[in-house]
Amino acid sequence: MAALGNRGTVTEASGFNPEEDAQKIYNAMKGAGTNEATIIEILAHRTIAQRQKIKEAFKQSVGKELLDCLKSELTGNFEMVVVGLMMPAPVYDAYELKNAIKGAGTEEACLIDILASRSKAEIKEIIATYKKEHGKSLEDDVCGDTSGMFQRVLVSLLTVNKSPALSYLWRRLFDDIYEAGEAHWGTDEVKFLTVLCVRNRNHLLRVFQEYQKISGRDIEDSIKREMSGCLEDAFLAIVKCMKNKPAFFAERLYKSMKGLGTTDSVLIRIMVARAEIDMLDIKAEFLKMYGKTLHSFIKGDASGDYRKILLELCGGEK
């Protein structure tokens, strides 16, 4: 398994010995109580690929599934982080999407965060993994749990092989803008959907620039003026991810922690999913946008072993 990215805080541990790590984790869990410090020290400093090798070594030497043992020993948010760390990226995304859909109510933020920010190749892998892990079609589950225009946006994001020709879209978009003007075009959700869900970054950045020239308004402002609720959130997420993905995640992390209470599901999902990809860039954007370090925010917001493992994934104060 190749490394996920080169801007992560979690990188390959040198001198890696999966058998040794498996034994240390087993010793940390056996008997009364659990040595959480050992679990943090090992799992927060190994890549996803290395953790899979630890899982194999653990099963071979102990005869049990490491994930099952961790679930039985750990609790709460700390358990959620550790369980997430043990999954390959598409498995974790599929797991998060399944949890967002099942049961009463839907966690729309999870559907938006994942589907708007993953590449077409990643979406393709998530769809296949979801089917394999959960025995159902992700698109069917999304459709069964959402409705209206919001549903159409999510389905478009899942439809990775059916994008219209970019040159056709480009031509049609500007015909529409010139003819209708910004105020009228802004309310046409289908045109927003057609253009934004193509998700060719270079193409869309040109669209955004041209849109601003023609309308005198940033596309994000138009979305905020013309839409509301989940639909607004979805379109804004697509635009923000195209413009600057680390800044999108920095904002999501900030909003998950500011004010009273913490939206732990968002905090955990981003810290786990981006640790090996672009956490260094997310931290830099966070500092630039809010004048405080991500590290200091987590330190002031979380507690106990949950805080310790998040700070390790964050990778230091700077």
Side-chain angles (χ1 to χ4, degrees):
M1 193 186 294
L4 292 179
N6 58 3
R7 299 292 300 154
T9 46
V10 173
T11 54
E12 281 195 354
S14 57
F16 172 59
N17 184 329
E19 289 75 25
E20 198 176 293
D21 283 348
Q23 190 58 50
K24 282 179 183 172
I25 291 171
Y26 173 71
N27 291 341
M29 291 189 289
K30 74 176 185 183
T34 305
N35 184 346
E36 286 87 356
T38 299
I39 290 169
I40 295 168
E41 179 55 40
I42 294 171
L43 297 184
H45 297 98
R46 304 292 184 271
T47 60
I48 294 169
Q50 289 178 326
R51 292 184 207 117
Q52 303 319 299
K53 288 177 181 168
I54 295 170
K55 263 162 63 172
E56 288 164 21
F58 190 92
K59 190 168 185 178
Q60 209 167 10
S61 61
V62 181
K64 291 179 181 177
E65 292 290 348
L66 175 54
L67 200 53
D68 294 340
C69 293
L70 288 167
K71 282 179 181 175
S72 70
E73 291 290 328
L74 311 176
T75 57
N77 289 326
F78 179 58
E79 179 195 345
M80 285 172 70
V81 175
V82 171
V83 166
L85 290 175
M86 294 310 299
M87 297 179 187
V91 175
Y92 182 59
D93 281 345
Y95 168 82
E96 284 289 290
L97 289 167
K98 184 68 180 170
N99 285 341
I101 292 167
K102 73 178 186 185
T106 305
E107 196 204 333
E108 287 88 356
C110 173
L111 302 182
I112 295 167
D113 280 357
I114 293 175
L115 299 182
S117 67
R118 304 309 190 249
S119 68
K120 285 188 178 185
E122 287 169 331
I123 293 282
K124 209 170 178 180
E125 221 177 335
I126 291 165
I127 290 167
T129 304
Y130 192 95
K131 181 85 174 168
K132 187 180 162 196
E133 296 282 321
H134 306 294
K136 289 180 178 179
S137 151
L138 176 54
E139 187 177 323
D140 288 350
D141 277 1
V142 166
C143 286
D145 227 55
T146 58
S147 60
M149 199 63 202
F150 179 57
Q151 181 193 86
R152 288 175 68 179
V153 173
L154 297 179
V155 170
S156 288
L157 293 173
L158 285 168
T159 313
V160 290
N161 292 322
K162 299 175 187 172
S163 297
L166 291 183
S167 57
Y168 165 71
L169 270 180
W170 179 252
R171 209 167 47 244
R172 201 182 81 182
L173 170 64
F174 289 110
D175 286 346
D176 288 339
I177 294 178
Y178 281 119
E179 284 168 22
E182 183 271 345
H184 177 255
W185 186 78
T187 58
D188 192 337
E189 294 158 343
V190 176
K191 286 190 186 119
F192 263 103
L193 176 63
T194 310
V195 174
L196 293 182
C197 289
V198 169
R199 298 200 305 181
N200 175 292
R201 186 166 186 266
N202 293 335
H203 167 74
L204 279 177
L205 291 178
R206 282 170 65 203
V207 170
F208 300 157
Q209 283 169 2
E210 200 66 24
Y211 183 84
Q212 182 139 18
K213 263 192 240 172
I214 293 164
S215 67
R217 184 176 285 119
D218 186 272
I219 198 161
E220 286 182 42
D221 294 333
S222 287
I223 291 168
K224 286 173 189 168
R225 279 159 53 100
E226 305 290 347
M227 297 176 195
S228 60
C230 294
L231 188 61
E232 178 191 344
D233 293 340
F235 278 130
L236 283 175
I238 295 165
V239 171
K240 286 174 180 178
C241 285
M242 284 295 165
K243 285 181 175 177
N244 184 337
K245 203 178 284 187
F248 167 73
F249 285 120
E251 183 187 4
R252 296 290 293 131
L253 285 168
Y254 176 76
K255 286 182 174 174
S256 77
M257 291 183 279
K258 72 165 190 172
L260 290 171
T262 305
T263 313
D264 291 296
S265 59
V266 175
L267 177 57
I268 292 167
R269 183 165 57 247
I270 296 171
M271 295 305 295
V272 169
R274 308 312 292 187
E276 210 172 312
I277 301 173
D278 54 3
M279 188 56 69
L280 292 172
D281 298 324
I282 292 168
K283 285 168 68 176
E285 290 294 340
F286 194 98
L287 182 59
K288 195 161 80 179
M289 292 160 75
Y290 304 110
K292 291 183 177 176
T293 64
L294 176 58
H295 190 280
S296 68
F297 247 70
I298 292 169
K299 202 171 181 180
D301 219 68
S303 60
D305 294 313
Y306 174 47
R307 173 169 65 184
K308 286 175 191 167
I309 198 162
L310 288 181
L311 290 177
E312 292 300 318
L313 294 176
C314 180
E317 181 65 51
K318 290 182 180 175

